[in-house]
Amino acid sequence: LVGTGSEMHFVGWEGTESLVANAWRTDGTQAGTRRLSNFGLERTFPVEATFVRVGEQVYFPVFQYGLGTELWRTDETAEGTVLVAQCSQPSDFISFHGTLHFFAQVSSTHRGLWRTDGISTTLIASFLGTNRYGFPTVNQAHLWQDQLYFVGGSEDEGPELWRSDGT
């Protein structure tokens, strides 16, 4: 369960033997609980505890067996629950200046800081995906004094502190 404003968002499985899960929202009442997605594909489900509200939209990653994890958003209706970007392994979601900022794969060797308004998705910066020890080189995003700070680096330089004004 993840609270986003006056609602809770959560992942609900379709039956006890199913490999299909969907995104749901609730205001805490039975009448105010409804399914937001109907992926209808086996082994497809939202990734738990990763819902983030940005304005009127709620973003969340969805895993589909064979395709990996992609970014989706909802306007709190089933019809308004749509794929935002086919970016691989989105993580570390942060609402910043009315847009969603997150990390995702750029290529098989690079990971990047991305921004989306729910319509278009833009790569802000790209870094080597892991260092020589296998640890991610882009992670730990935090907002501080109207700037987005994060750790980024390369195999040669190692981890470094970066900041972005969102562009």
Side-chain angles (χ1 to χ4, degrees):
L1 294 169
V2 176
T4 55
S6 62
E7 298 99 23
M8 294 289 287
H9 291 81
F10 62 97
V11 174
W13 294 90
E14 304 290 325
T16 59
E17 299 296 319
S18 176
L19 293 175
V20 177
N22 286 294
W24 292 73
R25 68 151 312 269
T26 186
D27 62 6
T29 67
Q30 186 173 1
T33 302
R34 66 180 182 268
R35 184 171 58 190
L36 297 175
S37 62
N38 187 9
F39 299 113
L41 302 170
E42 280 208 30
R43 300 181 181 181
T44 300
F45 49 91
V47 179
E48 295 190 47
T50 51
F51 296 91
V52 174
R53 179 175 290 285
V54 179
E56 299 297 314
Q57 304 291 322
V58 176
Y59 293 85
F60 57 99
V62 172
F63 173 82
Q64 184 173 342
Y65 184 76
L67 293 178
T69 306
E70 298 173 324
L71 181 62
W72 286 67
R73 71 171 164 82
T74 182
D75 63 1
E76 306 287 343
T77 67
E79 301 78 31
T81 302
V82 296
L83 176 67
V84 173
Q86 290 182 319
C87 53
S88 180
Q89 302 173 355
S91 66
D92 298 275
F93 297 157
I94 291 187
S95 175
F96 184 47
H97 291 280
T99 58
L100 179 74
H101 288 69
F102 61 97
F103 299 128
Q105 290 301 115
V106 175
S107 69
S108 63
T109 60
H110 285 75
R111 206 156 158 75
L113 175 64
W114 297 79
R115 173 184 69 230
T116 186
D117 60 6
I119 305 299
S120 64
T121 303
T122 305
L123 176 64
I124 296 173
S126 176
F127 300 89
L128 185 66
T130 58
N131 64 20
R132 64 179 153 239
Y133 304 108
F135 295 108
T137 59
V138 182
N139 56 33
Q140 303 179 34
H142 296 282
L143 292 177
W144 185 55
Q145 296 185 346
D146 203 35
Q147 296 284 313
L148 178 63
Y149 287 82
F150 60 97
V151 174
S154 67
E155 187 173 354
D156 297 331
E157 299 298 323
E160 300 173 319
L161 181 64
W162 289 74
R163 77 171 180 223
S164 173
D165 62 3
T167 59

PDB file of all heavy atoms in Angstrom, residues 54 94-101 115-116 143 145-148 164-167:
ATOM      1  N   VAL A  54       2.126  12.929  -9.193  1.00  0.00           N
ATOM      2  CA  VAL A  54       2.661  14.174  -9.742  1.00  0.00           C
ATOM      3  C   VAL A  54       1.464  14.920 -10.297  1.00  0.00           C
ATOM      4  O   VAL A  54       0.912  14.537 -11.331  1.00  0.00           O
ATOM      5  CB  VAL A  54       3.709  13.931 -10.850  1.00  0.00           C
ATOM      6  CG1 VAL A  54       4.219  15.259 -11.391  1.00  0.00           C
ATOM      7  CG2 VAL A  54       4.854  13.078 -10.347  1.00  0.00           C
ATOM      8  N   ILE A  94      10.670  10.512  -8.380  1.00  0.00           N
ATOM      9  CA  ILE A  94      10.601  11.751  -7.600  1.00  0.00           C
ATOM     10  C   ILE A  94       9.763  12.763  -8.368  1.00  0.00           C
ATOM     11  O   ILE A  94      10.001  13.016  -9.554  1.00  0.00           O
ATOM     12  CB  ILE A  94      12.006  12.330  -7.340  1.00  0.00           C
ATOM     13  CG1 ILE A  94      12.767  11.408  -6.379  1.00  0.00           C
ATOM     14  CG2 ILE A  94      11.918  13.731  -6.776  1.00  0.00           C
ATOM     15  CD1 ILE A  94      14.082  11.925  -5.915  1.00  0.00           C
ATOM     16  N   SER A  95       8.800  13.350  -7.689  1.00  0.00           N
ATOM     17  CA  SER A  95       8.009  14.446  -8.243  1.00  0.00           C
ATOM     18  C   SER A  95       8.818  15.728  -8.062  1.00  0.00           C
ATOM     19  O   SER A  95       9.190  16.090  -6.948  1.00  0.00           O
ATOM     20  CB  SER A  95       6.674  14.545  -7.493  1.00  0.00           C
ATOM     21  OG  SER A  95       5.954  15.669  -7.941  1.00  0.00           O
ATOM     22  N   PHE A  96       9.100  16.413  -9.182  1.00  0.00           N
ATOM     23  CA  PHE A  96       9.965  17.583  -9.146  1.00  0.00           C
ATOM     24  C   PHE A  96       9.524  18.566 -10.219  1.00  0.00           C
ATOM     25  O   PHE A  96       9.505  18.216 -11.403  1.00  0.00           O
ATOM     26  CB  PHE A  96      11.416  17.132  -9.360  1.00  0.00           C
ATOM     27  CG  PHE A  96      12.463  18.203  -9.264  1.00  0.00           C
ATOM     28  CD1 PHE A  96      12.465  19.119  -8.228  1.00  0.00           C
ATOM     29  CD2 PHE A  96      13.477  18.270 -10.192  1.00  0.00           C
ATOM     30  CE1 PHE A  96      13.441  20.089  -8.131  1.00  0.00           C
ATOM     31  CE2 PHE A  96      14.471  19.229 -10.119  1.00  0.00           C
ATOM     32  CZ  PHE A  96      14.451  20.140  -9.080  1.00  0.00           C
ATOM     33  N   HIS A  97       9.143  19.765  -9.835  1.00  0.00           N
ATOM     34  CA  HIS A  97       8.708  20.816 -10.758  1.00  0.00           C
ATOM     35  C   HIS A  97       7.572  20.361 -11.678  1.00  0.00           C
ATOM     36  O   HIS A  97       7.576  20.655 -12.876  1.00  0.00           O
ATOM     37  CB  HIS A  97       9.877  21.344 -11.597  1.00  0.00           C
ATOM     38  CG  HIS A  97      10.868  22.129 -10.805  1.00  0.00           C
ATOM     39  ND1 HIS A  97      10.689  23.431 -10.448  1.00  0.00           N
ATOM     40  CD2 HIS A  97      12.058  21.766 -10.271  1.00  0.00           C
ATOM     41  CE1 HIS A  97      11.711  23.857  -9.742  1.00  0.00           C
ATOM     42  NE2 HIS A  97      12.566  22.858  -9.614  1.00  0.00           N
ATOM     43  N   GLY A  98       6.630  19.606 -11.128  1.00  0.00           N
ATOM     44  CA  GLY A  98       5.458  19.192 -11.893  1.00  0.00           C
ATOM     45  C   GLY A  98       5.692  18.072 -12.889  1.00  0.00           C
ATOM     46  O   GLY A  98       4.838  17.797 -13.720  1.00  0.00           O
ATOM     47  N   THR A  99       6.867  17.453 -12.830  1.00  0.00           N
ATOM     48  CA  THR A  99       7.167  16.324 -13.702  1.00  0.00           C
ATOM     49  C   THR A  99       7.726  15.177 -12.858  1.00  0.00           C
ATOM     50  O   THR A  99       8.112  15.377 -11.705  1.00  0.00           O
ATOM     51  CB  THR A  99       8.192  16.684 -14.801  1.00  0.00           C
ATOM     52  OG1 THR A  99       9.395  17.145 -14.182  1.00  0.00           O
ATOM     53  CG2 THR A  99       7.644  17.752 -15.734  1.00  0.00           C
ATOM     54  N   LEU A 100       7.768  13.998 -13.443  1.00  0.00           N
ATOM     55  CA  LEU A 100       8.345  12.849 -12.778  1.00  0.00           C
ATOM     56  C   LEU A 100       9.788  12.688 -13.241  1.00  0.00           C
ATOM     57  O   LEU A 100      10.055  12.672 -14.438  1.00  0.00           O
ATOM     58  CB  LEU A 100       7.566  11.570 -13.118  1.00  0.00           C
ATOM     59  CG  LEU A 100       8.122  10.305 -12.471  1.00  0.00           C
ATOM     60  CD1 LEU A 100       7.794  10.288 -10.982  1.00  0.00           C
ATOM     61  CD2 LEU A 100       7.577   9.068 -13.151  1.00  0.00           C
ATOM     62  N   HIS A 101      10.692  12.588 -12.290  1.00  0.00           N
ATOM     63  CA  HIS A 101      12.099  12.286 -12.577  1.00  0.00           C
ATOM     64  C   HIS A 101      12.372  10.885 -12.062  1.00  0.00           C
ATOM     65  O   HIS A 101      11.874  10.496 -11.005  1.00  0.00           O
ATOM     66  CB  HIS A 101      13.023  13.302 -11.900  1.00  0.00           C
ATOM     67  CG  HIS A 101      12.983  14.639 -12.551  1.00  0.00           C
ATOM     68  ND1 HIS A 101      11.886  15.461 -12.500  1.00  0.00           N
ATOM     69  CD2 HIS A 101      13.903  15.281 -13.290  1.00  0.00           C
ATOM     70  CE1 HIS A 101      12.143  16.569 -13.174  1.00  0.00           C
ATOM     71  NE2 HIS A 101      13.357  16.474 -13.666  1.00  0.00           N
ATOM     72  N   ARG A 115      13.141  12.389 -17.355  1.00  0.00           N
ATOM     73  CA  ARG A 115      12.050  13.270 -16.930  1.00  0.00           C
ATOM     74  C   ARG A 115      10.868  13.024 -17.856  1.00  0.00           C
ATOM     75  O   ARG A 115      11.040  12.867 -19.071  1.00  0.00           O
ATOM     76  CB  ARG A 115      12.504  14.727 -17.031  1.00  0.00           C
ATOM     77  CG  ARG A 115      11.406  15.731 -16.767  1.00  0.00           C
ATOM     78  CD  ARG A 115      11.873  17.165 -16.977  1.00  0.00           C
ATOM     79  NE  ARG A 115      12.111  17.401 -18.391  1.00  0.00           N
ATOM     80  CZ  ARG A 115      13.215  17.938 -18.899  1.00  0.00           C
ATOM     81  NH1 ARG A 115      14.210  18.291 -18.110  1.00  0.00           N
ATOM     82  NH2 ARG A 115      13.351  18.119 -20.191  1.00  0.00           N
ATOM     83  N   THR A 116       9.642  12.994 -17.261  1.00  0.00           N
ATOM     84  CA  THR A 116       8.440  12.890 -18.089  1.00  0.00           C
ATOM     85  C   THR A 116       7.330  13.759 -17.533  1.00  0.00           C
ATOM     86  O   THR A 116       7.226  13.938 -16.318  1.00  0.00           O
ATOM     87  CB  THR A 116       7.953  11.437 -18.230  1.00  0.00           C
ATOM     88  OG1 THR A 116       6.865  11.405 -19.159  1.00  0.00           O
ATOM     89  CG2 THR A 116       7.500  10.857 -16.903  1.00  0.00           C
ATOM     90  N   LEU A 143      15.678  15.425  -3.207  1.00  0.00           N
ATOM     91  CA  LEU A 143      15.434  16.849  -3.429  1.00  0.00           C
ATOM     92  C   LEU A 143      15.972  17.631  -2.237  1.00  0.00           C
ATOM     93  O   LEU A 143      15.757  17.247  -1.081  1.00  0.00           O
ATOM     94  CB  LEU A 143      13.940  17.122  -3.573  1.00  0.00           C
ATOM     95  CG  LEU A 143      13.272  16.565  -4.814  1.00  0.00           C
ATOM     96  CD1 LEU A 143      11.778  16.848  -4.774  1.00  0.00           C
ATOM     97  CD2 LEU A 143      13.897  17.149  -6.069  1.00  0.00           C
ATOM     98  N   GLN A 145      16.783  21.983  -1.430  1.00  0.00           N
ATOM     99  CA  GLN A 145      16.899  23.373  -1.843  1.00  0.00           C
ATOM    100  C   GLN A 145      16.601  23.566  -3.330  1.00  0.00           C
ATOM    101  O   GLN A 145      17.362  24.181  -4.064  1.00  0.00           O
ATOM    102  CB  GLN A 145      18.267  23.931  -1.479  1.00  0.00           C
ATOM    103  CG  GLN A 145      18.508  23.963   0.014  1.00  0.00           C
ATOM    104  CD  GLN A 145      19.810  24.629   0.382  1.00  0.00           C
ATOM    105  OE1 GLN A 145      20.683  24.866  -0.462  1.00  0.00           O
ATOM    106  NE2 GLN A 145      19.954  24.938   1.658  1.00  0.00           N
ATOM    107  N   ASP A 146      15.474  23.001  -3.764  1.00  0.00           N
ATOM    108  CA  ASP A 146      14.970  23.133  -5.132  1.00  0.00           C
ATOM    109  C   ASP A 146      15.936  22.602  -6.197  1.00  0.00           C
ATOM    110  O   ASP A 146      15.990  23.094  -7.320  1.00  0.00           O
ATOM    111  CB  ASP A 146      14.595  24.585  -5.439  1.00  0.00           C
ATOM    112  CG  ASP A 146      13.582  24.654  -6.574  1.00  0.00           C
ATOM    113  OD1 ASP A 146      12.723  23.755  -6.659  1.00  0.00           O
ATOM    114  OD2 ASP A 146      13.658  25.591  -7.393  1.00  0.00           O
ATOM    115  N   GLN A 147      16.726  21.609  -5.814  1.00  0.00           N
ATOM    116  CA  GLN A 147      17.624  20.927  -6.737  1.00  0.00           C
ATOM    117  C   GLN A 147      17.466  19.429  -6.530  1.00  0.00           C
ATOM    118  O   GLN A 147      17.157  18.975  -5.422  1.00  0.00           O
ATOM    119  CB  GLN A 147      19.092  21.304  -6.470  1.00  0.00           C
ATOM    120  CG  GLN A 147      19.418  22.760  -6.704  1.00  0.00           C
ATOM    121  CD  GLN A 147      19.537  23.084  -8.178  1.00  0.00           C
ATOM    122  OE1 GLN A 147      20.197  22.378  -8.938  1.00  0.00           O
ATOM    123  NE2 GLN A 147      18.902  24.159  -8.599  1.00  0.00           N
ATOM    124  N   LEU A 148      17.695  18.648  -7.575  1.00  0.00           N
ATOM    125  CA  LEU A 148      17.663  17.201  -7.502  1.00  0.00           C
ATOM    126  C   LEU A 148      19.113  16.714  -7.425  1.00  0.00           C
ATOM    127  O   LEU A 148      19.895  16.933  -8.353  1.00  0.00           O
ATOM    128  CB  LEU A 148      16.974  16.612  -8.737  1.00  0.00           C
ATOM    129  CG  LEU A 148      16.909  15.096  -8.825  1.00  0.00           C
ATOM    130  CD1 LEU A 148      16.091  14.536  -7.663  1.00  0.00           C
ATOM    131  CD2 LEU A 148      16.305  14.665 -10.144  1.00  0.00           C
ATOM    132  N   SER A 164      20.777  18.525 -10.446  1.00  0.00           N
ATOM    133  CA  SER A 164      20.061  18.986 -11.630  1.00  0.00           C
ATOM    134  C   SER A 164      18.956  19.925 -11.192  1.00  0.00           C
ATOM    135  O   SER A 164      18.349  19.737 -10.137  1.00  0.00           O
ATOM    136  CB  SER A 164      19.445  17.775 -12.353  1.00  0.00           C
ATOM    137  OG  SER A 164      18.610  18.215 -13.398  1.00  0.00           O
ATOM    138  N   ASP A 165      18.702  20.922 -12.023  1.00  0.00           N
ATOM    139  CA  ASP A 165      17.554  21.794 -11.781  1.00  0.00           C
ATOM    140  C   ASP A 165      16.301  21.228 -12.449  1.00  0.00           C
ATOM    141  O   ASP A 165      15.281  21.891 -12.498  1.00  0.00           O
ATOM    142  CB  ASP A 165      17.833  23.219 -12.263  1.00  0.00           C
ATOM    143  CG  ASP A 165      18.080  23.285 -13.764  1.00  0.00           C
ATOM    144  OD1 ASP A 165      17.989  22.239 -14.468  1.00  0.00           O
ATOM    145  OD2 ASP A 165      18.367  24.388 -14.266  1.00  0.00           O
ATOM    146  N   GLY A 166      16.415  20.001 -12.933  1.00  0.00           N
ATOM    147  CA  GLY A 166      15.286  19.336 -13.584  1.00  0.00           C
ATOM    148  C   GLY A 166      15.394  19.307 -15.095  1.00  0.00           C
ATOM    149  O   GLY A 166      14.545  18.750 -15.770  1.00  0.00           O
ATOM    150  N   THR A 167      16.431  19.928 -15.617  1.00  0.00           N
ATOM    151  CA  THR A 167      16.625  19.950 -17.079  1.00  0.00           C
ATOM    152  C   THR A 167      17.924  19.258 -17.439  1.00  0.00           C
ATOM    153  O   THR A 167      18.759  18.993 -16.603  1.00  0.00           O
ATOM    154  CB  THR A 167      16.661  21.394 -17.609  1.00  0.00           C
ATOM    155  OG1 THR A 167      17.721  22.111 -16.973  1.00  0.00           O
ATOM    156  CG2 THR A 167      15.352  22.083 -17.346  1.00  0.00           C
TER     157      THR A 167
END
